[in-house]
Amino acid sequence: MRRNSQGLYLRSVQLLRDAVPSFDVYPFHLKAIRELDMLELHPKVTYIVGENGMGKSTLMEAIAVAFGFNPEGGTINFSFSTEETHSELHRYLRLARSTVKPRDGFFFRAESYYNLATNIDAMDREPGPGPRIIDSYGGKSLHQQSHGESFFAAFLHRFRGNGLYVMDEPEAALSPFRQMAMLARMNQLVRRNSQFIISTHSPILMAYPDALVYRLTPDGIERTTLEETDHYILMKQFVNNRERMINELFMDEEEEK
């Protein structure tokens, strides 16, 4: 299927800097957010990477909420909330959208996926016409599957194509084999006119060809490549020099004692 003439559903994300009340409070004090101006997005796949604490999840959440997704994940139609913990960043983002709207969409958030599964079970227990919600996830309760299986059930069954998929650390419960299967599934969906924005620590998931990679650092946000990310470099060094790196790690531990 041909991609729409605009190239994507979401073209860019811009921080309305003049409207920010203060850059000294959360989340605007985070360096990556403080330095944020505009992020151009790829029509296929855009990655947001970086070390813990850099603000990846905060930024992903804000993009998703600004688009209309539930802060804890799911589709546009999900409105459950277990605890109001999301930041106000979404109020200060401007999303440049295509004239073509996605027919499908999902905010996948690893840390609150359990809450999503619980909400689906609860809604399906309520009497009403029409199919069960879980039928669009493969028909089996997500709580009755392993963590990794329930994750992959959403990717395989619920993601239908012609959609915008915002994903925060989807590799959290996936084996390396499943991560490669996820790449293949992403390609199927991209060919069905879908767009992904993904935050990840996985060099495997970062490997989608012709993608944009943004790295969040203590100095701000920079464009990079898979091969230049710390995740890829460290993994490659460890696999190729496992014994030496382990010896260095254990030596550092002994010196601390």
Side-chain angles (χ1 to χ4, degrees):
M1 180 180 295
R2 288 190 176 183
R3 189 159 301 276
N4 64 65
S5 59
Q6 296 296 328
L8 39 72
Y9 303 116
L10 198 55
R11 302 186 204 171
S12 65
V13 177
Q14 181 182 10
L15 178 64
L16 302 176
R17 301 184 61 83
D18 293 340
V20 173
S22 172
F23 281 97
D24 295 324
V25 298
Y26 177 83
F28 305 102
H29 75 289
L30 296 171
K31 193 65 174 179
I33 306 301
R34 180 189 289 269
E35 300 299 324
L36 175 62
D37 184 10
M38 179 181 290
L39 289 181
E40 299 289 342
L41 301 176
H42 196 281
K44 297 178 181 178
V45 182
T46 301
Y47 293 108
I48 308 292
V49 306
E51 278 302 313
N52 295 331
M54 292 293 105
K56 299 186 304 301
S57 292
T58 301
L59 180 56
M60 296 294 287
E61 172 193 85
I63 293 172
V65 175
F67 194 83
F69 291 112
N70 182 48
E72 293 191 47
T75 68
I76 297 289
N77 297 323
F78 275 81
S79 58
F80 73 94
S81 177
T82 56
E83 187 175 358
E84 293 288 343
T85 59
H86 60 285
S87 75
E88 294 296 302
L89 179 58
H90 66 280
R91 301 184 185 277
Y92 301 92
L93 294 183
R94 174 181 291 153
L95 305 185
R97 309 185 188 214
S98 166
T99 56
V100 178
K101 295 182 179 180
R103 299 178 189 172
D104 190 32
F106 203 96
F107 176 29
F108 185 94
R109 190 168 196 178
E111 68 176 27
S112 57
Y113 193 68
Y114 179 92
N115 300 337
L116 174 71
T118 299
N119 185 251
I120 291 173
D121 283 352
M123 289 191 292
D124 278 343
R125 284 194 295 269
E126 297 177 1
R132 301 177 305 164
I133 298 173
I134 198 60
D135 290 341
S136 64
Y137 291 77
K140 183 179 180 181
S141 171
L142 299 175
H143 282 312
Q144 295 177 10
Q145 305 178 55
S146 73
H147 208 31
E149 287 175 330
S150 67
F151 274 34
F152 206 75
F155 309 150
L156 188 61
H157 301 291
R158 179 55 192 79
F159 290 18
R160 303 185 181 114
N162 291 285
L164 174 69
Y165 304 109
V166 182
M167 309 179 72
D168 187 22
E169 300 186 4
E171 78 279 7
L174 300 182
S175 68
F177 177 80
R178 283 295 197 188
Q179 291 177 38
M180 289 188 286
M182 179 62 196
L183 267 182
R185 179 60 177 156
M186 284 170 55
N187 190 52
Q188 291 175 348
L189 292 164
V190 165
R191 295 178 66 180
R192 296 178 192 170
N193 216 32
S194 297
Q195 180 185 9
F196 286 85
I197 306 171
I198 303 175
S199 169
T200 180
H201 292 288
S202 168
I204 295 175
L205 281 188
M206 291 180 208
Y208 194 88
D210 186 31
L212 265 178
V213 183
Y214 290 106
R215 176 168 51 199
L216 276 58
T217 76
D219 297 317
I221 303 177
E222 59 187 24
R223 185 171 170 178
T224 187
T225 65
L226 167 65
E227 291 78 12
E228 294 173 319
T229 63
D230 292 338
H231 309 74
Y232 179 89
I233 292 171
L234 286 172
M235 184 63 71
K236 183 178 180 180
Q237 288 178 343
F238 187 86
V239 170
N240 292 338
N241 303 279
R242 177 171 54 89
E243 291 186 5
R244 180 177 62 82
M245 291 195 70
I246 287 178
N247 288 336
E248 290 180 0
L249 288 171
F250 291 175
M251 186 180 301
D252 291 341
E253 188 177 81
E254 289 298 324
E255 290 177 355
E256 288 180 2
K257 293 180 181 180

